[in-house]
């Protein structure tokens, strides 16, 4: 085999082995089409946040689900039609709070109200910007967001299967799932701190507080509290805050909670129980600067998953409906 052919083969191998990246994303992508897009989105998100801080968790959660299912392409925002059950109507969607969708719809309306920006900015990018903005509004790290995603052309409930982790996953399962998205175990531990804000319904952790063997990694005082909030046959709409100590702040309290056995989901607490991830939890419980840095890196990588370009997408006029 000639050197050229070996090199070509190597390139091919390298390109197929590479994680899903999107070199075409960049800051200031809309500098020409809509130069003020970031301040327009920020103002709309801030206004929504003043109405309800629930929008913080709702928006961050929406971005995660969008990126992990078919890439960051706003496919999660598409509404079902008579012909198609969309991603958002998969049974796990009970967890997608309406305020996240509303945040994107309102920011899109604000962008489109500016004549030069009308139909120039993708819903996928608006969701990425809104996520960055709610995190900053909740006291989390500020970061520059990469832009240039197109909106996807398909959204099906069946595409959700196997893409999202159930809250019972152990460290190896979590690590493997994130790896399929080009994210490292460190990224996974950082992104799990999304659970420093927002809510979980009782059924997400009920097996940890009831039954034959309550979860021994759960703080017993905390477990008693959870049993009183989530009695047997609780209304399935009842939800409790994922971070009991600073539920509204986007901070590293999440990791301190894990040290106290106060991770709400089994998939949270396992990050401390498992000796392989515990040192990272300890380091970020200790240093919010170290956590912020790791989180910004990880959410930036998450924002590159399965980005659509060219004929793979378009810019939706209505985020909930294909053009
Ligand atoms: C590591 C694997 C993960 C698992 C197993 C998981 C699981 C869950 C579960 C079960 C809930 C509660 C849903 C409900 O009962 O309503 C939840 C909520 C949430 N998750 Fe995750 N999640 C994971 C990763 C992430 C990531 C990477 C992010 C974002 C960076 C994230 C952000 C959120 C947020 C913000 C909420 C609260 C939603 C709200 O308040 O509306 N999660 N997650
Ligand atoms: C459903 O599909 C039919 C034919 O395939 C099409 O004519 C119709 O417009 C579709 N309806 C919706 C709501 O997408
Ligand atoms: C249980 O949580 C409290 C704080 O809420 C903490 O002081 C205590 O050390 C925790 N217990 C264990 C075993 O982690
Ligand atoms: C927020 C959201 O879209 N919830 C929907 C989840 O799916 C059920 C049907 O399975 C719808 O009734 C909800 O509106």
């Amino acid at each position: 085999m000639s050197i050229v052919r070996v090199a070509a083969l190597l390139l091919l191998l390298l390109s197929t082995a590479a994680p899903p990246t999107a070199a075409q994303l960049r800051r200031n992508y809309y500098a020409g089409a809509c130069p003020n897009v970031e301040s327009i989105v920020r103002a709309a998100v801030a206004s929504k946040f003043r109405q309800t801080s629930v929008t913080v968790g709702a928006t961050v959660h929406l971005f995660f689900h969008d990126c992990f299912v078919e890439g960051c392409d706003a496919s999660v925002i598409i509404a079902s039609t008579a012909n198609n059950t969309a991603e958002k109507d998969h049974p796990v969607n009970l967890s997608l709070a309406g305020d996240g969708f509303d945040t994107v719809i309102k920011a899109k309306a604000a962008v489109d109200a500016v004549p030069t920006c009308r139909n120039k900015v993708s819903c996928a990018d608006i969701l990425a910007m809104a996520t960055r903005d709610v995190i900053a509004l909740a006291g989390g790290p500020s970061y520059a967001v990469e832009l240039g995603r197109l909106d996807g052309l398909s959204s099906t409930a069946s595409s959700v299967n196997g893409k999202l982790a159930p809250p019972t996953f152990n460290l190896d399962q979590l690590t493997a799932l994130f790896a399929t998205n080009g994210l490292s175990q460190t990224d996974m531990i950082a992104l799990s701190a999304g659970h420093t804000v927002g809510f979980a319904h009782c059924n997400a952790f009920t097996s940890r507080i009831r039954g034959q063997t309550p979860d021994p990694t759960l703080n017993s005082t905390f477990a008693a509290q959870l049993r009183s909030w989530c009695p047997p046959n609780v209304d399935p709409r009842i939800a409790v805050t994922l971070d009991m100590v600073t539920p509204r702040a986007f901070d590293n309290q999440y990791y301190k909670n894990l040290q106290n056995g106060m991770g709400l989901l089994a998939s949270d607490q396992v990050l401390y129980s498992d000796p392989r991830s515990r040192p990272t939890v300890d380091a970020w419980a200790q240093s919010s600067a170290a956590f912020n840095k790791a989180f910004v890196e990880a959410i930036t990588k998450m924002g590159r998953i399965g980005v659509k370009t060219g004929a793979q997408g378009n810019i939706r006029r209505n985020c909930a409906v294909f053009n």
Side-chain angles (χ1 to χ4, degrees):
M1 216 190 281
S2 75
I3 287 175
V4 175
R5 280 175 61 195
V6 172
L9 184 67
L10 254 177
L11 261 178
L12 190 72
L13 285 173
L14 282 174
S15 60
T16 49
T21 56
Q24 65 279 8
L25 288 184
R26 60 179 197 268
R27 296 168 189 180
N28 295 321
Y29 178 84
Y30 294 103
C34 181
N36 295 327
V37 67
E38 298 199 33
S39 56
I40 298 166
V41 169
R42 188 175 301 112
V45 172
S47 151
K48 174 76 190 178
F49 174 77
R50 282 192 296 274
Q51 289 161 22
T52 172
S53 64
V54 164
T55 197
V56 175
T59 304
V60 175
H61 196 198
L62 194 59
F63 186 51
F64 165 54
H65 278 218
D66 187 32
C67 293
F68 266 54
V69 181
E70 307 275 307
C72 311
D73 65 353
S75 53
V76 74
I77 302 174
I78 288 291
S80 294
T81 61
N83 293 352
N84 180 48
T85 305
E87 256 176 66
K88 75 191 279 269
D89 286 320
H90 186 276
V92 301
N93 84 336
L94 186 66
S95 59
L96 293 174
D99 285 313
F101 296 91
D102 192 47
T103 300
V104 176
I105 304 291
K106 290 220 161 86
K108 165 78 167 166
V111 170
D112 284 352
V114 177
T116 52
C117 299
R118 196 172 169 76
N119 297 327
K120 300 269 174 56
V121 182
S122 70
C123 301
D125 279 343
I126 290 176
L127 177 54
M129 285 183 266
T131 299
R132 181 269 306 271
D133 293 337
V134 291
I135 289 170
L137 285 163
S142 304
Y143 56 93
V145 71
E146 295 178 341
L147 301 170
R149 302 164 186 82
L150 288 181
D151 296 327
L153 305 177
S154 108
S155 170
T156 60
S158 58
S159 68
V160 179
N161 295 331
K163 303 286 175 52
L164 295 167
T168 49
F169 261 17
N170 66 27
L171 187 72
D172 289 319
Q173 292 169 313
L174 292 168
T175 303
L177 178 74
F178 277 65
T180 64
N181 289 300
L183 297 166
S184 67
Q185 180 169 285
T186 305
D187 295 328
M188 183 274 289
I189 302 167
L191 287 166
S192 292
H195 296 170
T196 178
V197 291
F199 302 85
H201 294 83
C202 294
N203 68 3
F205 53 86
T206 195
S207 61
R208 303 187 71 207
I209 57 173
R210 293 193 196 290
Q212 303 292 75
T213 48
D215 188 332
T217 64
L218 190 61
N219 184 307
S220 56
T221 315
F222 181 45
Q225 184 113 73
L226 293 175
R227 276 191 289 271
S228 77
W229 285 327
C230 298
N233 307 316
V234 64
D235 181 331
R237 290 168 302 182
I238 298 295
V240 306
T241 55
L242 280 151
D243 171 357
M244 295 293 160
V245 181
T246 57
R248 281 195 242 255
F250 201 100
D251 59 9
N252 67 337
Q253 180 66 42
Y254 171 78
Y255 300 103
K256 299 179 191 173
N257 291 344
L258 301 184
Q259 292 176 320
N260 283 328
M262 291 175 66
L264 184 59
L265 307 177
S267 56
D268 294 319
Q269 196 56 47
V270 76
L271 303 178
Y272 186 72
S273 313
D274 193 305
R276 292 170 295 172
S277 43
R278 183 182 296 180
T280 306
V281 170
D282 286 336
W284 293 343
Q286 178 77 33
S287 166
S288 69
F291 159 61
N292 284 348
K293 182 169 179 290
F295 183 81
V296 167
E297 243 171 65
I299 198 156
T300 301
K301 276 169 81 176
M302 187 173 92
R304 295 174 187 156
I305 299 172
V307 163
K308 308 292 187 296
T309 55
Q312 299 167 317
N314 59 24
I315 291 176
R316 263 178 236 148
R317 287 186 289 275
N318 175 342
C319 293
V321 182
F322 295 120
N323 287 349

